[in-house]
Amino acid sequence: MPATNIAPQPVDPSIDHEIQAIIAGVLDAEVCNTDLVAAPWNFDTRPGYGPGSSMGDVIPVGAPRQGELPQEYRDASEDELAERILAAKQALGDRVVVLGHFYQRQEVVVHADYVGDSFQLANAAKAHPEAEAIVFCGVHFMAETADLLSGPDQAVILPNLAAGCSMADMASIDEVEECWEQLADVYGPLDEPDADGRVPVIPVTYMNSSAAIKGFVGRHGGIVCTSSNARTVLEWAFERGRRVLFFPDQHLGRNTAKAMGVPLEQMPMWNPRRPRGGASVEGLRDARVILWHGFCSVHRRFSVAQIDQARAEHPGVRVIVHPECPMEVVDAADESGSTDYIRRAIESATEPTTFAVGTEVNLVQRLAADNPQHTIFCLDPVVCPCSTMYRIHPGYMAWVLEGLVRGEVLNRITVSSDVADPARLALERMLAAKPPAGTVDVVARTPLSEPVSPLSEPMSPLSEPVEGDA
């Protein structure tokens, strides 16, 4: 009897559903922490980053915690919460804009007015001055950035205050200021230019950092970068300084500088828990880029062994990873780029292709569901979403939105003016250091078939589109 062609089953974009199926034994797969099947309010009052986080990620004392969610939201079903969110959004109309990060669970993303990376979403917030409230479904530093770029009368709301970022927490303002003082002991006054007009060090912070860190950078002549404009930003910094202090993600700094031709021996590591960062005076004097000892626990899970396995099981596979991955993983991949780069690379592929993707699994699952012409899977076979992004749940969304309907602003995120002013300055410098039009400023060996396109919303000068960060 001739074989029949059976159409492949559509991919469920929900990682929530997949985790539930794994724990129930319906799906033969592995999850990094079985507690992920439980709702986040079971863990929000405890210190920590939540189920699925790295055991090595120690949350700072005093990190925000979420208060108890009212019982009616904890007891509501997925369908009931969806109905309440839709009703609240309809009642609020243009008074609210809901932003959802690429790494959010599907049950949250479906209610977002805009989906993107942290800076794209901050731009979207800036583009809607008519909104009284901006509900930012992401993590704490993203909501801070939205507050920096939105109007003073707009309330930025983070549905769950426990949604932080372990990478951002790896560079505290006290540690960075102490590092700056120790570097002055090695290089002399850090604000005095040499005969060529360059200062000893320019600080560069990744978008994945607190507002306090962005403010520090702004006060000291530095700049912010995203994962897709990091090269342009480093070029800007090298024009003004002999070397760069790059934080908090060592991997983005190393991968970008290496692609620019900076030798690894000129990229010493600064560990804030060691005297003088654990670096030698000679090594610091010879340095071009001083890398902070920080990393993303999600992207550190990816390995060369996973890439080798993908290539063995899927001949011709196209491997794309995020530049927050370790250097050996980026080197072994076919290309690397920001979350938005990964999305556009897949969507622009004209022929059915197998993609192995090294980034957060919620985005990978959604890409697989939205692009059925391709075979798309996460490099890490263990299902392990970003533990802090996963703290945003439809129950919290319904709670804050219905609060707005009642005239109550819950979980507002604000940045004080003493921090906000220099932080905006650092962002303005970044915006002025845009890559040339039509280019993709990432460590990529396979170019996209279409150029970078700006966001469709009209932007003011402080929020011109900058593609891609985590």
Side-chain angles (χ1 to χ4, degrees):
M1 185 173 180
T4 23
N5 290 326
I6 301 174
Q9 293 297 311
V11 175
D12 184 347
S14 172
I15 287 295
D16 290 31
H17 296 168
E18 183 162 341
I19 290 173
Q20 291 167 16
I22 293 171
I23 300 302
V26 175
L27 184 63
D28 184 17
E30 185 180 354
V31 63
C32 62
N33 190 314
T34 55
D35 284 342
L36 284 165
V37 76
W41 47 80
N42 292 286
F43 312 98
D44 286 341
T45 57
R46 309 177 195 171
Y49 293 108
S53 61
S54 169
M55 295 295 290
D57 293 347
V58 180
I59 197 164
V61 175
R65 293 193 206 173
Q66 178 59 44
E68 187 171 344
L69 184 68
Q71 191 70 40
E72 62 179 295
Y73 299 100
R74 289 183 278 159
D75 291 343
S77 68
E78 180 180 317
D79 289 342
E80 181 184 348
L81 288 172
E83 291 173 3
R84 294 178 72 159
I85 290 168
L86 289 170
K89 286 191 66 183
Q90 185 174 10
L92 291 164
D94 292 341
R95 293 169 53 204
V96 68
V97 60
V98 178
L99 310 179
H101 191 272
F102 282 132
Y103 297 168
Q104 286 293 304
R105 61 178 83 205
Q106 179 67 11
E107 291 73 11
V108 166
V109 163
V110 292
H111 299 294
D113 299 306
Y114 295 89
V115 178
D117 58 38
S118 62
F119 204 82
Q120 288 173 324
L121 295 178
N123 283 333
K126 181 69 174 179
H128 288 275
E130 76 284 357
E132 298 171 17
I134 298 160
V135 176
F136 205 120
C137 299
V139 294
H140 197 272
F141 79 80
M142 299 178 186
E144 286 185 326
T145 304
D147 185 60
L148 290 171
L149 297 178
S150 59
D153 297 328
Q154 292 179 291
V156 176
I157 294 170
L158 183 64
N160 186 342
L161 295 179
C165 174
S166 59
M167 182 210 291
D169 290 340
M170 289 177 188
S172 72
I173 187 61
D174 291 341
E175 289 171 332
V176 171
E177 288 178 342
E178 174 64 22
C179 168
W180 199 247
E181 292 176 5
Q182 293 184 53
L183 291 179
D185 293 337
V186 175
Y187 303 126
L190 299 181
D191 59 350
E192 291 186 6
D194 59 18
D196 295 328
R198 292 192 286 176
V199 296
V201 188
I202 293 287
V204 174
T205 189
Y206 191 18
M207 278 287 291
N208 300 32
S209 58
S210 69
I213 295 297
K214 293 181 178 74
F216 170 91
V217 166
R219 290 194 304 274
H220 293 283
I223 188 169
V224 179
C225 78
T226 71
S227 56
S228 65
N229 74 348
R231 180 176 186 132
T232 296
V233 166
L234 285 184
E235 290 170 348
W236 179 96
F238 285 138
E239 290 174 359
R240 292 157 176 80
R242 291 292 173 189
R243 54 191 66 79
V244 168
L245 172 63
F246 191 97
F247 47 88
D249 182 34
Q250 59 172 296
H251 299 301
L252 177 62
R254 182 181 295 108
N255 290 324
T256 305
K258 181 188 174 193
M260 295 172 65
V262 178
L264 294 178
E265 57 269 21
Q266 292 185 353
M267 291 189 265
M269 183 81 70
W270 185 279
N271 187 331
R273 291 168 179 78
R274 295 181 181 176
R276 204 192 309 107
S280 68
V281 172
E282 181 181 358
L284 290 172
R285 285 176 176 159
D286 292 340
R288 295 292 310 287
V289 179
I290 303 166
L291 299 169
W292 194 267
H293 192 266
F295 51 85
C296 171
S297 293
V298 169
H299 291 101
R300 198 172 67 158
R301 290 182 60 88
F302 299 110
S303 67
V304 174
Q306 292 169 355
I307 294 177
D308 291 342
Q309 183 175 350
R311 295 198 192 282
E313 295 178 357
H314 303 273
V317 67
R318 183 172 165 187
V319 180
I320 310 180
V321 302
H322 196 281
E324 289 176 16
C325 293
M327 177 182 68
E328 60 271 17
V329 175
V330 170
D331 288 347
D334 296 309
E335 56 202 287
S336 72
S338 69
T339 50
D340 192 57
Y341 174 89
I342 293 170
R343 177 188 64 80
R344 290 180 294 113
I346 289 172
E347 292 178 354
S348 66
T350 55
E351 297 296 327
T353 306
T354 299
F355 290 94
V357 183
T359 194
E360 208 276 344
V361 68
N362 276 286
L363 173 60
V364 179
Q365 189 89 339
R366 194 173 303 118
L367 288 170
D370 292 344
N371 298 274
Q373 74 277 23
H374 301 311
T375 299
I376 303 169
F377 61 93
C378 187
L379 265 178
D380 186 359
V382 178
V383 179
C384 197
C386 173
S387 62
T388 51
M389 287 282 186
Y390 218 57
R391 304 298 274 267
I392 305 295
H393 184 279
Y396 286 116
M397 287 187 71
W399 174 58
V400 298
L401 286 167
E402 291 184 343
L404 289 172
V405 172
R406 298 190 305 269
E408 184 180 3
V409 177
L410 302 165
N411 286 11
R412 183 169 185 173
I413 302 298
T414 58
V415 180
S416 62
S417 59
D418 60 321
V419 171
D421 291 342
R424 288 192 191 98
L425 179 59
L427 289 168
E428 287 170 350
R429 291 172 182 149
M430 179 187 74
L431 292 167
K434 293 181 294 184
T439 65
V440 181
D441 190 19
V442 290
V443 184
R445 289 181 289 282
T446 304
L448 293 178
S449 59
E450 58 186 40
V452 175
S453 59
L455 300 178
S456 58
E457 291 295 324
M459 300 294 175
S460 69
L462 185 55
S463 60
E464 291 176 18
V466 175
E467 297 280 352
D469 62 274

